[in-house]
Amino acid sequence: MKNEGIALMHVAILGGTGPQGQGLALRLAMAGVETTLGSRHADRAAETASGLNEKLGGKPGSARIAGSDNAGAIRAAGRFVFLAVPYDAHHDTLTGLRPQLEGKILVDLAVPLAPGNPRAMSMPPEGSATEAAQAILGEAIPVVGALHNVSAWSLARLDDKINCDILVVGNSVDAKAEVIDLIERLGVNAYDAGPAESARCVEAVTSILIRLNISKKVPFTHAGIRIWAPGS
């Protein structure tokens, strides 16, 4: 079975006290994946984790969520470290934690939205947040971009399925395969969308979704994207 041995998995979410980090932690916990929220302030992370465990309410099969400072969360992680910090903290967070990330896969959720205008992008010189992260960490630490187009609102609605497919990008084929396997445990379809360079397109979709979601001409919010087969 696909979930065999999942209880032995433990992941970290840096920026885990933010809305997207909290939603992801809840979904991972529901899938039986132990998670440690990382923050610059360990007490804040612990308090947030406690609240999330209460929200889970002992759902059958759910795992516990813990809280720590960023370095402690990375130490607790077996293989995967998710980065869910705002993009303005992206560079400094990775630069400061690079030595601790050796031997891990970094799953980067960051999207470089334009300051003051989430309907536009402000891509870094490298081309995308995923590429910027890989440049900071070096090729020895694989960076996989994923979950860019999922709203925190959708992640937090635990009684509903996540309303979109997940596009996964990165230069390491093996690392992407591992991340896809983990993400699909959340009950979604995940697809290998190409090398890190493809993140320029995938991350940019987020600003388009935000534009649609706040438009008065669109009769719904929190939209996602789906990959449809012909004839569906």
Side-chain angles (χ1 to χ4, degrees):
M1 292 178 60
K2 197 169 188 177
N3 286 339
E4 286 181 358
I6 194 168
L8 300 176
M9 186 181 296
H10 196 127
V11 307
I13 304 177
L14 309 184
T17 59
Q20 193 170 29
Q22 290 186 48
L24 178 59
L26 287 168
R27 292 288 182 169
L28 288 167
M30 284 180 62
V33 180
E34 292 188 2
T35 303
T36 296
L37 307 180
S39 171
R40 289 177 297 173
H41 307 289
D43 54 349
R44 182 183 176 193
E47 182 179 354
T48 301
S50 177
L52 294 179
N53 286 319
E54 288 183 13
K55 186 172 183 178
L56 285 169
K59 289 182 181 292
S62 62
R64 294 287 294 177
I65 301 172
S68 177
D69 60 15
N70 283 329
I74 294 172
R75 287 194 298 271
R79 182 67 170 151
F80 303 99
V81 175
F82 288 82
L83 184 64
V85 300
Y87 188 69
D88 59 8
H90 187 259
H91 181 275
D92 289 347
T93 300
L94 289 176
T95 301
L97 295 172
R98 186 195 180 287
Q100 291 97 311
L101 289 167
E102 292 183 6
K104 314 289 187 182
I105 295 174
L106 182 83
V107 186
D108 197 346
L109 284 65
V111 176
L113 298 172
N117 183 11
R119 295 171 295 179
M121 302 296 294
S122 181
M123 291 297 195
E126 294 84 358
S128 66
T130 302
E131 291 170 281
Q134 192 67 83
I136 293 168
L137 298 181
E139 292 300 322
I141 300 174
V143 174
V144 175
L147 296 159
H148 300 108
N149 312 136
V150 185
S151 73
W153 181 88
S154 296
L155 289 172
R157 290 176 63 86
L158 301 184
D159 292 332
D160 297 335
K161 292 184 177 179
I162 297 172
N163 67 334
C164 60
D165 295 330
I166 309 300
L167 301 179
V168 178
V169 297
N171 293 333
S172 170
V173 174
D174 291 341
K176 283 187 290 186
E178 291 185 58
V179 172
I180 287 171
D181 180 67
L182 173 60
I183 290 175
E184 288 187 337
R185 298 178 192 272
L186 306 183
V188 297
N189 295 318
Y191 298 95
D192 183 341
E197 183 177 323
S198 297
R200 303 176 188 185
C201 301
V202 177
E203 293 173 18
V205 169
T206 302
S207 65
I208 297 172
L209 289 173
I210 291 173
R211 181 178 292 273
L212 292 173
N213 287 332
I214 64 178
S215 171
K216 294 180 180 179
K217 297 180 181 180
V218 178
F220 49 80
T221 59
H222 307 293
I225 60 171
R226 287 275 175 87
I227 308 301
W228 290 100
S232 297

